[in-house]
Structures are given as C-alpha cells and as structure tokens.
Amino acid sequence: MEIKAWNFVLFSCLVVSFLASSSSAQTCVSQTFSNDRQYANCTDLPALNSYLHWTYNESAGTVEIAFRHTGTSSSQWSAWGINPSGPRMVGTQALVAFVNSSGVAQAFTTSIDSLAPSMQQMDLSFPVPSLSATFERNEMTIIAVLRISQNLLATSQVWQEGRVSNGQIQPHSTTGANVQSAGSINFLTGASRGSSSAGSRTRRRNVHGVLNTVSWGILMPLGAITARYMKVFKSADPAWFYLHVACQSSAYVVGVAGWATGIKLGSDSPGVTYNPHRTIGIILFCFGTLQVFALLLRPNKDHKYRLYWNIYHHLIGYSVIILSIVNIFEGFDILNPDDKWERIYIGILIFLGVLATFLEAFTWYVVIMRKKTNKQPHTMNGANGHGYGATAMGQRV
C-alpha cells in the first residue's frame, strides 16, 4: 500500500510538472495587443518575465517586434535590443521604455557602448521607422519596426530591467536573472534560445558557491569540532589529529578550487565587482594557506614556542570559520538562489552549533570528573587495602 501511495504521489507530481511546463511554454501565444496587432512568431524569453513577438517582412526588409515585460512597475524601466557582436551588454542596439513624470510610457533608442552607458537617446546602427510603448496592468510593451540588413536576421538579443529614480534611469542589478537575460534570435526561422555563455557562467557561479560552502562553510567547522572535543579522550589520540588534518586539508583543497573558480568568474566579468565578497575571499585564501604552512612548522608539545604556535593556530582557525560563514551569506545575496538553499545552510549551521554546545558541556564534565579522580588521596586507600598499590600487587600475584 505504501509503495502504491508513493507511486501515485510521484505520478501526480510528474503530471502537474508537465502541465505547468506546457502551459508556461505557451504563455506568449495567449498574449494580445491593442489595435488587434498580430505577429507571426513569439517566444517566452528565459528570464525577467519577458516575451518577444515579431513578424519579418522580407519584401520591405523590416521586422515588426513587440517586447512585453510583465510583473514590472511604473518605477522600473524595460529594454530589449540586438547585439551583432554577441549575447552581452556592450554593443547592444537597444529599445528602452519607462513611465515618465507625466505617467505616460515613453520609448527611445540608445546604443550601449560601455559597461556604464549614459542611457541617453541616440540613433542605432540601423533605422527604426516606428517606436512606441504602453504601460498597463504592470506590463510594459515596446512596439517597434526595425529595418535591418540580412546579416542581422540571425543575431544575439539582450533584454533588461532596472529602476527609475527622479525621472533618471538607474543601473540594473548584476545578480540573478539580470545576468541571464541574453540569448539568440533568428527572425527568419523563428528560432530563439537562451545564451549558452550566460548559462555556462551561471553554472560556474553555482559550482563556485557549492565548492566554497562545502569547504569553508562545513568541512572547516567540522575539522575544528573534531580537534577541540575528540582530543579530550585519551583513547582518541592520535586518531583525532589525523581526522582533523584530513578534514582541514580536504576543506583547503576544495576551497582553493572554489576560490580559483571565483577568480576566473571575476576575470570573465569585467566591470562587475563584488568588493566585500572578493576581499573576504582573498583573506580566506591567505589565512587558509598560512594554516597549511603552520602545520608544516608545528613544534613539539614540549617546545618553548608551542604555546605561541597554539595561540596563532587557534586565532587564524577561528577567524577563517567566522569569515567563511560571513562570505557564504554574501554569496547567497549575489547568486540569489532559491530560499531553500539558504535555509538548508542555516539548518546545517544550527546543527553544528548544537553539536558543539553539547560536546563543550560533555567534555568539560569529563575533564572535571577526571581531575576529581586524580585528586583522591592514594595513601588512605592503600592503608585500607583498596588502594592502587594493593590492586597492583593483587594483579601481579
């Protein structure tokens, strides 16, 4: 019965998922426009709740387009454009729309020539005979006619959104869906897809986040817990040391891989910087490397410098753990993943905190009881025939 119930639940989830995906894939087909405008092709763009409709007129050499951005507001701007040089911001010939101070949707053309464009009205590299915009029911629609050459019929497309403040267009966000809003378009065949480079960059960002969360954010604290609490038990010596080294070494190797991925992402994204996240990441790499070298220079237990080495080792180690947790949450803000992933990591931290609290209390109890046992007067027990000497003699006999 239980297996059948689970099969039914699984089947139901698959059906619901299929229906949901089918309906979402057909969203643009059900959209309508004023003046009964009709378009031959449409596509649901993969980010920012956006849709593109178009009709290619071969004899006139024009493309009629309607770009619709849903779920927006009057305090945001919307833009769509094509970029012959690839699916990226710089080089985009853009159509921009926003609601002006009079409450009317206004559209203009601009060429994105840098990572910090002026967003002022200017002509594009091709004529735009007609351009207008409408805003109603939290939907911005840009209507335009583009006169483009044959070599632009298959090209890259970019779309974007951002805030409007005091009538001025503000820079868009550089996280989440705002860095995934690029792809390709073929006005002739109707083919459209998301950017493979944007998808690859997103995968690398996710890999970077996973590697660093597992290494710096989970393995490092586990290694510290192992060293602090296992060494209290004499039977765990020297196993605790090897476990500690294995845990921290694995964390360092995986963490360096995550750090290197972040450096590569930064070099591939000029003009996009996350200064606090980057700075903390570099500090973590330096501290982690210092800990590795400190292990190689670790003095013997009876060495006169061992106390200073211990202080240094603990300070750097706990600093790494604290900075790691801070930087992981910085990363969550940047990647903007589903809330469940942040909740999962918070749950892991709570578990580690509860575990450390329990072990702290238990090991203190063990240490206190051990001291009390060691302070018992051996001579009196020996005189009564129950002391260590009597026991030893009995064993020898």
Side-chain angles (χ1 to χ4, degrees), residues 191-236:
S192 173
R193 62 181 178 85
S195 167
S196 60
S197 62
S200 173
R201 184 165 57 249
T202 301
R203 282 192 297 273
R204 282 183 288 152
R205 285 157 61 98
N206 291 337
V207 168
H208 167 73
V210 170
L211 289 177
N212 286 309
T213 301
V214 170
S215 59
W216 303 104
I218 298 177
L219 289 177
M220 280 287 182
L222 271 177
I225 289 173
T226 301
R228 179 167 177 81
Y229 302 114
M230 282 189 67
K231 67 181 178 181
V232 173
F233 305 97
K234 295 179 180 179
S235 60

Short mmCIF file of all heavy atoms in Angstrom, two decimals, residues 191-236:
data_model
loop_
_atom_site.label_atom_id
_atom_site.label_comp_id
_atom_site.label_asym_id
_atom_site.label_seq_id
_atom_site.Cartn_x
_atom_site.Cartn_y
_atom_site.Cartn_z
N ALA A 191 13.61 30.75 -34.68
CA ALA A 191 14.34 30.08 -33.60
C ALA A 191 14.82 31.10 -32.57
O ALA A 191 15.28 32.19 -32.93
CB ALA A 191 15.53 29.31 -34.16
N SER A 192 14.70 30.71 -31.31
CA SER A 192 15.16 31.58 -30.23
C SER A 192 15.58 30.70 -29.07
O SER A 192 14.96 29.68 -28.78
CB SER A 192 14.05 32.52 -29.77
OG SER A 192 14.43 33.24 -28.63
N ARG A 193 16.67 31.09 -28.41
CA ARG A 193 17.11 30.32 -27.25
C ARG A 193 17.89 31.23 -26.31
O ARG A 193 18.34 32.32 -26.69
CB ARG A 193 17.99 29.13 -27.67
CG ARG A 193 19.28 29.51 -28.39
CD ARG A 193 20.06 28.26 -28.78
NE ARG A 193 21.28 28.59 -29.51
CZ ARG A 193 22.43 28.90 -28.95
NH1 ARG A 193 22.52 28.95 -27.64
NH2 ARG A 193 23.50 29.18 -29.67
N GLY A 194 18.05 30.74 -25.07
CA GLY A 194 18.85 31.47 -24.09
C GLY A 194 20.31 31.39 -24.43
O GLY A 194 20.76 30.52 -25.20
N SER A 195 21.08 32.28 -23.86
CA SER A 195 22.51 32.34 -24.15
C SER A 195 23.24 31.17 -23.53
O SER A 195 23.14 30.93 -22.34
CB SER A 195 23.09 33.65 -23.61
OG SER A 195 24.49 33.61 -23.62
N SER A 196 24.00 30.43 -24.34
CA SER A 196 24.80 29.34 -23.78
C SER A 196 25.92 29.88 -22.91
O SER A 196 26.29 29.28 -21.91
CB SER A 196 25.39 28.49 -24.92
OG SER A 196 26.21 29.29 -25.75
N SER A 197 26.46 31.04 -23.26
CA SER A 197 27.52 31.62 -22.44
C SER A 197 26.98 32.08 -21.10
O SER A 197 27.62 31.92 -20.06
CB SER A 197 28.18 32.80 -23.17
OG SER A 197 27.23 33.83 -23.41
N ALA A 198 25.76 32.64 -21.13
CA ALA A 198 25.14 33.05 -19.87
C ALA A 198 24.84 31.83 -19.01
O ALA A 198 25.04 31.83 -17.80
CB ALA A 198 23.86 33.84 -20.13
N GLY A 199 24.36 30.73 -19.65
CA GLY A 199 24.10 29.51 -18.91
C GLY A 199 25.36 28.93 -18.33
O GLY A 199 25.38 28.45 -17.20
N SER A 200 26.45 28.95 -19.12
CA SER A 200 27.73 28.44 -18.64
C SER A 200 28.23 29.26 -17.47
O SER A 200 28.73 28.72 -16.48
CB SER A 200 28.75 28.46 -19.78
OG SER A 200 30.03 28.11 -19.30
N ARG A 201 28.08 30.57 -17.55
CA ARG A 201 28.52 31.44 -16.46
C ARG A 201 27.70 31.17 -15.20
O ARG A 201 28.25 31.14 -14.09
CB ARG A 201 28.39 32.90 -16.88
CG ARG A 201 28.91 33.88 -15.85
CD ARG A 201 29.11 35.26 -16.45
NE ARG A 201 27.91 35.79 -17.04
CZ ARG A 201 27.74 35.97 -18.34
NH1 ARG A 201 28.68 35.63 -19.19
NH2 ARG A 201 26.61 36.48 -18.82
N THR A 202 26.40 30.95 -15.37
CA THR A 202 25.55 30.64 -14.22
C THR A 202 25.97 29.33 -13.57
O THR A 202 26.03 29.22 -12.34
CB THR A 202 24.08 30.57 -14.65
OG1 THR A 202 23.69 31.82 -15.21
CG2 THR A 202 23.18 30.25 -13.46
N ARG A 203 26.28 28.32 -14.39
CA ARG A 203 26.73 27.04 -13.84
C ARG A 203 28.03 27.20 -13.07
O ARG A 203 28.20 26.62 -11.99
CB ARG A 203 26.91 26.02 -14.97
CG ARG A 203 25.60 25.42 -15.49
CD ARG A 203 25.87 24.23 -16.40
NE ARG A 203 26.60 24.59 -17.59
CZ ARG A 203 26.05 25.02 -18.71
NH1 ARG A 203 24.73 25.14 -18.79
NH2 ARG A 203 26.78 25.33 -19.76
N ARG A 204 28.94 28.00 -13.62
CA ARG A 204 30.21 28.21 -12.93
C ARG A 204 30.01 28.96 -11.61
O ARG A 204 30.69 28.68 -10.61
CB ARG A 204 31.19 28.97 -13.83
CG ARG A 204 31.84 28.08 -14.89
CD ARG A 204 32.85 28.85 -15.70
NE ARG A 204 32.20 29.79 -16.60
CZ ARG A 204 32.75 30.92 -17.02
NH1 ARG A 204 33.94 31.27 -16.60
NH2 ARG A 204 32.10 31.71 -17.85
N ARG A 205 29.09 29.89 -11.59
CA ARG A 205 28.78 30.61 -10.35
C ARG A 205 28.21 29.65 -9.31
O ARG A 205 28.55 29.72 -8.12
CB ARG A 205 27.79 31.74 -10.62
CG ARG A 205 28.40 32.94 -11.31
CD ARG A 205 27.35 33.75 -12.05
NE ARG A 205 26.34 34.27 -11.19
CZ ARG A 205 26.31 35.52 -10.69
NH1 ARG A 205 27.30 36.35 -10.99
NH2 ARG A 205 25.33 35.93 -9.94
N ASN A 206 27.34 28.74 -9.77
CA ASN A 206 26.77 27.76 -8.84
C ASN A 206 27.83 26.80 -8.32
O ASN A 206 27.84 26.45 -7.13
CB ASN A 206 25.65 26.97 -9.54
CG ASN A 206 24.43 27.83 -9.83
OD1 ASN A 206 24.22 28.85 -9.18
ND2 ASN A 206 23.63 27.43 -10.80
N VAL A 207 28.74 26.36 -9.22
CA VAL A 207 29.83 25.49 -8.79
C VAL A 207 30.71 26.21 -7.77
O VAL A 207 31.11 25.63 -6.75
CB VAL A 207 30.67 25.04 -10.00
CG1 VAL A 207 31.97 24.37 -9.56
CG2 VAL A 207 29.87 24.07 -10.88
N HIS A 208 31.00 27.46 -8.05
CA HIS A 208 31.79 28.28 -7.12
C HIS A 208 31.13 28.34 -5.75
O HIS A 208 31.78 28.15 -4.71
CB HIS A 208 31.94 29.69 -7.71
CG HIS A 208 32.46 30.72 -6.75
ND1 HIS A 208 33.77 30.76 -6.34
CD2 HIS A 208 31.83 31.75 -6.12
CE1 HIS A 208 33.94 31.76 -5.50
NE2 HIS A 208 32.79 32.38 -5.34
N GLY A 209 29.82 28.55 -5.73
CA GLY A 209 29.10 28.63 -4.46
C GLY A 209 29.08 27.32 -3.71
O GLY A 209 29.29 27.28 -2.49
N VAL A 210 28.85 26.21 -4.43
CA VAL A 210 28.79 24.90 -3.78
C VAL A 210 30.15 24.52 -3.20
O VAL A 210 30.25 24.06 -2.05
CB VAL A 210 28.30 23.83 -4.77
CG1 VAL A 210 28.47 22.43 -4.19
CG2 VAL A 210 26.84 24.07 -5.15
N LEU A 211 31.22 24.69 -3.99
CA LEU A 211 32.56 24.32 -3.52
C LEU A 211 32.93 25.09 -2.26
O LEU A 211 33.45 24.51 -1.29
CB LEU A 211 33.59 24.60 -4.62
CG LEU A 211 33.56 23.67 -5.84
CD1 LEU A 211 34.60 24.13 -6.87
CD2 LEU A 211 33.83 22.23 -5.45
N ASN A 212 32.67 26.38 -2.24
CA ASN A 212 33.07 27.19 -1.09
C ASN A 212 32.19 26.93 0.13
O ASN A 212 32.66 26.98 1.27
CB ASN A 212 33.04 28.67 -1.46
CG ASN A 212 34.21 29.05 -2.34
OD1 ASN A 212 35.35 28.76 -2.01
ND2 ASN A 212 33.94 29.68 -3.47
N THR A 213 30.90 26.66 -0.10
CA THR A 213 30.02 26.35 1.03
C THR A 213 30.42 25.05 1.70
O THR A 213 30.50 24.96 2.93
CB THR A 213 28.56 26.28 0.56
OG1 THR A 213 28.17 27.53 -0.03
CG2 THR A 213 27.63 25.98 1.72
N VAL A 214 30.69 24.01 0.88
CA VAL A 214 31.06 22.71 1.43
C VAL A 214 32.41 22.78 2.13
O VAL A 214 32.59 22.22 3.22
CB VAL A 214 31.09 21.64 0.32
CG1 VAL A 214 31.70 20.34 0.82
CG2 VAL A 214 29.69 21.40 -0.21
N SER A 215 33.38 23.48 1.53
CA SER A 215 34.74 23.50 2.08
C SER A 215 34.86 24.45 3.27
O SER A 215 35.04 24.01 4.42
CB SER A 215 35.74 23.90 0.98
OG SER A 215 35.41 25.18 0.44
N TRP A 216 34.77 25.74 2.98
CA TRP A 216 34.98 26.73 4.05
C TRP A 216 33.84 26.73 5.07
O TRP A 216 34.06 26.98 6.26
CB TRP A 216 35.11 28.14 3.45
CG TRP A 216 36.20 28.29 2.44
CD1 TRP A 216 36.04 28.37 1.09
CD2 TRP A 216 37.61 28.38 2.69
NE1 TRP A 216 37.27 28.50 0.48
CE2 TRP A 216 38.25 28.51 1.43
CE3 TRP A 216 38.40 28.36 3.84
CZ2 TRP A 216 39.62 28.63 1.30
CZ3 TRP A 216 39.77 28.48 3.71
CH2 TRP A 216 40.37 28.61 2.44
N GLY A 217 32.62 26.47 4.59
CA GLY A 217 31.45 26.62 5.46
C GLY A 217 31.01 25.39 6.21
O GLY A 217 30.23 25.50 7.16
N ILE A 218 31.47 24.19 5.82
CA ILE A 218 31.04 22.97 6.50
C ILE A 218 32.24 22.15 6.98
O ILE A 218 32.35 21.82 8.16
CB ILE A 218 30.15 22.11 5.58
CG1 ILE A 218 28.87 22.88 5.21
CG2 ILE A 218 29.79 20.79 6.27
CD1 ILE A 218 27.95 22.16 4.25
N LEU A 219 33.17 21.82 6.06
CA LEU A 219 34.31 20.99 6.44
C LEU A 219 35.22 21.68 7.45
O LEU A 219 35.73 21.04 8.38
CB LEU A 219 35.11 20.60 5.19
CG LEU A 219 34.44 19.58 4.26
CD1 LEU A 219 35.31 19.33 3.03
CD2 LEU A 219 34.18 18.27 4.99
N MET A 220 35.46 22.98 7.26
CA MET A 220 36.32 23.71 8.21
C MET A 220 35.76 23.67 9.64
O MET A 220 36.48 23.33 10.58
CB MET A 220 36.53 25.14 7.74
CG MET A 220 37.56 25.32 6.65
SD MET A 220 39.24 25.12 7.29
CE MET A 220 40.19 25.43 5.79
N PRO A 221 34.48 24.03 9.86
CA PRO A 221 33.95 23.93 11.22
C PRO A 221 33.96 22.50 11.76
O PRO A 221 34.24 22.28 12.95
CB PRO A 221 32.51 24.44 11.07
CG PRO A 221 32.54 25.32 9.87
CD PRO A 221 33.54 24.69 8.95
N LEU A 222 33.70 21.50 10.90
CA LEU A 222 33.75 20.11 11.35
C LEU A 222 35.15 19.73 11.82
O LEU A 222 35.32 19.03 12.83
CB LEU A 222 33.31 19.18 10.21
CG LEU A 222 31.82 18.88 10.10
CD1 LEU A 222 31.55 18.01 8.89
CD2 LEU A 222 31.30 18.21 11.37
N GLY A 223 36.16 20.17 11.07
CA GLY A 223 37.54 19.89 11.46
C GLY A 223 37.89 20.52 12.79
O GLY A 223 38.59 19.92 13.62
N ALA A 224 37.40 21.73 13.03
CA ALA A 224 37.66 22.40 14.31
C ALA A 224 36.96 21.68 15.46
O ALA A 224 37.54 21.52 16.55
CB ALA A 224 37.20 23.85 14.23
N ILE A 225 35.73 21.24 15.24
CA ILE A 225 34.99 20.50 16.27
C ILE A 225 35.71 19.20 16.60
O ILE A 225 35.83 18.81 17.78
CB ILE A 225 33.55 20.23 15.79
CG1 ILE A 225 32.74 21.54 15.77
CG2 ILE A 225 32.86 19.20 16.67
CD1 ILE A 225 31.37 21.41 15.14
N THR A 226 36.21 18.51 15.57
CA THR A 226 36.94 17.26 15.78
C THR A 226 38.15 17.47 16.67
O THR A 226 38.38 16.72 17.63
CB THR A 226 37.39 16.68 14.43
OG1 THR A 226 36.24 16.44 13.61
CG2 THR A 226 38.16 15.38 14.61
N ALA A 227 38.92 18.51 16.38
CA ALA A 227 40.14 18.76 17.15
C ALA A 227 39.84 19.18 18.58
O ALA A 227 40.49 18.73 19.53
CB ALA A 227 40.98 19.83 16.46
N ARG A 228 38.84 20.02 18.76
CA ARG A 228 38.58 20.58 20.09
C ARG A 228 38.04 19.54 21.06
O ARG A 228 38.41 19.53 22.25
CB ARG A 228 37.61 21.75 19.99
CG ARG A 228 37.27 22.36 21.35
CD ARG A 228 36.58 23.68 21.24
NE ARG A 228 36.22 24.19 22.55
CZ ARG A 228 37.03 24.82 23.39
NH1 ARG A 228 38.30 25.00 23.04
NH2 ARG A 228 36.60 25.26 24.56
N TYR A 229 37.19 18.65 20.58
CA TYR A 229 36.48 17.78 21.51
C TYR A 229 36.98 16.34 21.53
O TYR A 229 36.89 15.67 22.56
CB TYR A 229 34.98 17.81 21.20
CG TYR A 229 34.42 19.21 21.29
CD1 TYR A 229 33.94 19.88 20.17
CD2 TYR A 229 34.41 19.89 22.50
CE1 TYR A 229 33.45 21.17 20.25
CE2 TYR A 229 33.93 21.19 22.61
CZ TYR A 229 33.46 21.82 21.47
OH TYR A 229 32.99 23.10 21.58
N MET A 230 37.51 15.81 20.43
CA MET A 230 37.97 14.43 20.43
C MET A 230 39.26 14.24 21.23
O MET A 230 39.49 13.20 21.82
CB MET A 230 38.17 13.93 18.99
CG MET A 230 36.89 13.56 18.28
SD MET A 230 37.21 12.74 16.70
CE MET A 230 37.96 11.21 17.26
N LYS A 231 40.11 15.28 21.24
CA LYS A 231 41.40 15.10 21.91
C LYS A 231 41.27 15.03 23.43
O LYS A 231 42.23 14.68 24.13
CB LYS A 231 42.35 16.23 21.52
CG LYS A 231 41.96 17.61 22.03
CD LYS A 231 42.98 18.63 21.56
CE LYS A 231 42.63 20.05 22.00
NZ LYS A 231 43.62 21.03 21.52
N VAL A 232 40.09 15.34 23.95
CA VAL A 232 39.87 15.21 25.39
C VAL A 232 39.93 13.74 25.80
O VAL A 232 40.34 13.40 26.91
CB VAL A 232 38.51 15.83 25.78
CG1 VAL A 232 38.17 15.55 27.23
CG2 VAL A 232 38.53 17.34 25.52
N PHE A 233 39.53 12.87 24.90
CA PHE A 233 39.50 11.43 25.20
C PHE A 233 40.82 10.79 24.80
O PHE A 233 41.22 10.82 23.63
CB PHE A 233 38.34 10.78 24.45
CG PHE A 233 37.01 11.43 24.73
CD1 PHE A 233 36.50 12.38 23.85
CD2 PHE A 233 36.30 11.13 25.87
CE1 PHE A 233 35.30 12.99 24.10
CE2 PHE A 233 35.09 11.74 26.14
CZ PHE A 233 34.58 12.68 25.25
N LYS A 234 41.51 10.21 25.78
CA LYS A 234 42.83 9.66 25.54
C LYS A 234 42.79 8.52 24.51
O LYS A 234 43.75 8.31 23.77
CB LYS A 234 43.43 9.15 26.86
CG LYS A 234 43.69 10.27 27.85
CD LYS A 234 44.26 9.73 29.15
CE LYS A 234 44.52 10.85 30.14
NZ LYS A 234 45.06 10.35 31.43
N SER A 235 41.70 7.79 24.48
CA SER A 235 41.59 6.68 23.53
C SER A 235 41.51 7.17 22.08
O SER A 235 41.73 6.38 21.16
CB SER A 235 40.34 5.85 23.85
OG SER A 235 39.18 6.66 23.76
N ALA A 236 41.20 8.46 21.89
CA ALA A 236 41.09 9.01 20.53
C ALA A 236 42.39 9.61 20.04
O ALA A 236 42.43 10.20 18.95
CB ALA A 236 39.99 10.07 20.48
#
